[in-house]
Amino acid sequence: MGNSLFGTDGVRGRANSYPMTAEIALRIGAAAGRYFRRDGSAAHRVVIGKDTRLSGYMFENALTAGFTSTGMNVFLLGPVPTPAVGLLTTSMRADVGVMISASHNPHHDNGIKFFGPDGFKLSDEAEAEIEALLGGDIEPAQAENIGRAKRIDDGRFRYNERIKTTLPAGLRLDGLKVLIDCANGAAYRTAPEVLWELGADVVPMGVAPDGFNINKGCGSTDTAAAAAAVVAQGCDVGICLDGDADRVMIIDETGKVADGDQIMALFAERMAAEDRLRGGVLVATVMSNLGLERFLDGRGLRLERTPVGDRYVVEAMRRGGWNLGGEQSGHIVMTDYATTGDGLLAGVQFLAAMAATGQRASALVHKFDAVPQLLKNVRYQTGHTPLESKNVQKVIAAAEVALMGKGRLLIRKSGTEPLIRVMAECEDDGLLLQVVDTVVAAVTAEI
């Protein structure tokens, strides 16, 4: 079996459809358990967290059965943010951590993300080895060595305490009215608790999950309601998380939304001024706006680009020894504090900047004028490869020539959905639309 189950962020798909079935989840748990028990010793453990999707119960049970069948002891955290799993994997000395979540996707999707014992997401190589085990017979543990399962009731409180310690000593959020939109997801209790305990006047949204409403009309991918509420309720700032709380969008007091690029620009500027930005480098993906790159260049800083996926951002950060990175979509990675993208952590750091400077959100978060960027998605049938068509490649080459010296073109397959993403940047709006529409038409015709 090839490395086909795992995408840019674990395994993901529609619940109860391949590959996200209970049967596959059980085998994934067993394969991962066998992979992490290669030395044959006892006392191996795994921590499992989830978001608020209805299907999370099914996958939690299936994974538990798979892991315990190979002798792994399982610690169940319940609903917690994805970064909490990375944190608790290391603090509980576990061999592996698992987050059951499809992040920003609708409720009918779900996914399985893996963290290694160091709290970082598994490499492509490790995922390929686990998938290879799925293709054969997975050796179960002897009856006397079957693992145990135990529910951990205070996992989110351990994570809460870690987030609060990242606020500079002596700094409080008193006087700040903060709207927090939790997307009816994994941080629906955690985020309001943390902000209130740090002194903020908290206006909660998206804190009533029912198994079906995660990311629905709320959260970092649908900020309209939160932006309107920030203005209507006179909030100083809004923080919008996604379903598993590893992404964030910031809304200023006027209701304007700032994406991950603007947040990273602020953090890079502040960290560089305090001599805390290692190497003067910010790591971001090929999707980040050209305006961010120009902003950094103007301050003697450098943008290091990676493929799309916060895992690839983190891998580059670790290789280079850099400590700030992220994605335009709102993954913000600060390895001084965490091993993966953490929306709540980034939100708290933004509030710290407001409290320390006394400046309004609008003055802090809109650091550069973005180069006009247009992204269109084309859905295709799994197994079809429209980008390999000679006609599509010819159209793409012509589009690149048209943009030469004026902008850039990026075309890629999504790692989480059957989509071809066509993105271009150009300050000539007419040329931008023409280039994207031409490529989209060619891909659509091939499909």
Side-chain angles (χ1 to χ4, degrees):
M1 184 180 293
N3 188 17
S4 56
L5 282 180
F6 289 88
T8 56
D9 201 8
V11 182
R12 189 175 298 187
R14 192 177 182 93
N16 261 358
S17 298
Y18 183 85
M20 289 306 299
T21 65
E23 293 82 2
I24 295 294
L26 188 149
R27 287 190 59 81
I28 289 173
R34 180 51 59 197
Y35 175 80
F36 283 98
R37 287 205 64 206
R38 286 172 296 181
D39 60 6
S41 62
H44 286 265
R45 53 176 58 177
V46 53
V47 298
I48 299 179
K50 62 179 181 177
D51 63 23
T52 56
R53 296 163 208 269
L54 178 64
S55 59
Y57 294 100
M58 177 178 73
F59 292 118
E60 183 182 56
N61 289 328
L63 285 165
T64 298
F67 277 112
T68 54
S69 75
T70 54
M72 298 281 283
N73 292 321
V74 177
F75 296 92
L76 299 168
L77 305 175
V80 293
T82 285
V85 174
L87 169 70
L88 294 170
T89 299
T90 54
S91 70
M92 297 181 71
R93 301 339 186 237
D95 300 273
V96 57
V98 179
M99 180 65 182
I100 304 167
S101 175
S103 190
H104 58 286
N105 286 26
H107 76 89
H108 51 67
D109 290 340
N110 217 326
I112 301 170
K113 308 178 187 183
F114 284 99
F115 292 85
D118 56 3
F120 290 94
K121 289 181 179 177
L122 292 187
S123 66
D124 287 336
E125 293 74 20
E127 289 182 345
E129 289 189 49
I130 291 172
E131 186 158 341
L133 289 171
L134 283 169
D137 293 329
I138 303 171
E139 182 183 357
Q142 296 298 313
E144 63 273 15
N145 295 326
I146 292 172
R148 301 173 184 270
K150 180 179 181 180
R151 192 159 294 279
I152 304 298
D153 295 323
D154 66 345
R156 87 171 193 272
F157 299 115
R158 301 186 198 188
Y159 170 73
N160 288 4
E161 290 305 307
R162 174 56 177 160
I163 294 297
K164 288 187 293 182
T165 63
T166 69
L167 196 71
L171 196 65
R172 290 180 54 87
L173 303 182
D174 296 349
L176 288 178
K177 188 174 184 179
V178 181
L179 181 140
I180 179 71
D181 181 351
C182 301
N184 292 310
Y188 77 99
R189 290 182 294 184
T190 290
E193 288 170 348
V194 166
L195 298 181
W196 180 80
E197 290 173 12
L198 290 174
D201 178 8
V202 180
V203 179
M205 282 187 66
V207 290
D210 61 9
F212 303 99
N213 60 1
I214 188 170
N215 299 313
K216 186 177 181 180
C218 57
S220 65
T221 53
D222 194 340
T223 57
V230 165
V231 175
Q233 301 200 39
C235 296
D236 297 295
V237 63
I239 299 172
C240 294
L241 308 176
D242 70 334
D244 67 335
D246 64 354
R247 294 188 184 196
V248 66
M249 294 284 166
I250 299 293
I251 302 173
D252 72 16
E253 73 280 0
T254 71
K256 187 175 180 180
V257 180
D259 64 14
D261 284 349
Q262 296 286 357
I263 299 167
M264 289 188 290
L266 169 69
F267 289 176
E269 182 182 53
R270 286 180 57 81
M271 291 172 66
E274 297 168 1
D275 198 27
R276 293 191 296 114
L277 186 67
R278 294 181 199 159
V281 171
L282 168 68
V283 182
T285 76
V286 292
M287 295 296 290
S288 279
N289 194 274
L290 187 58
L292 173 61
E293 190 167 351
R294 293 172 177 173
F295 172 85
L296 295 172
D297 286 344
R299 286 152 183 79
L301 307 175
R302 180 164 67 87
L303 181 66
E304 178 80 10
R305 290 189 185 267
T306 75
V308 174
D310 66 314
R311 181 177 64 183
Y312 302 118
V313 170
V314 174
E315 288 176 356
M317 292 170 68
R318 298 179 75 186
R319 284 194 304 270
W322 303 311
N323 61 343
L324 179 65
E327 295 188 282
Q328 185 184 67
S329 59
H331 285 116
I332 308 295
V333 185
M334 308 179 79
T335 51
D336 290 342
Y337 307 117
T339 58
T340 189
D342 192 326
L344 180 56
L345 168 63
V348 167
Q349 293 305 304
F350 183 80
L351 296 176
M354 290 184 68
T357 65
Q359 293 185 332
R360 307 193 80 174
S362 56
L364 287 173
V365 81
H366 302 292
K367 286 293 179 180
F368 63 88
D369 292 328
V371 174
Q373 189 178 75
L374 181 61
L375 170 67
K376 292 190 176 183
N377 297 318
V378 183
R379 188 168 294 274
Y380 66 97
Q381 294 296 318
T382 303
H384 193 56
T385 54
L387 294 183
E388 295 180 6
S389 160
K390 289 184 178 180
N391 182 61
V392 170
Q393 292 174 358
K394 181 179 178 180
V395 171
I396 291 172
E400 289 173 336
V401 170
L403 284 173
M404 192 173 296
K406 303 174 184 177
R408 65 190 186 104
L409 177 67
L410 176 67
I411 301 166
R412 67 180 185 88
K413 285 184 179 181
S414 168
T416 58
E417 300 176 83
L419 298 174
I420 302 295
R421 302 194 188 279
V422 181
M423 189 274 283
E425 289 178 333
C426 181
E427 289 170 341
D428 181 335
D429 289 339
L431 178 59
L432 176 67
L433 182 61
Q434 175 190 332
V435 163
V436 172
D437 283 351
T438 299
V439 174
V440 166
V443 174
T444 302
E446 178 62 26
I447 293 171

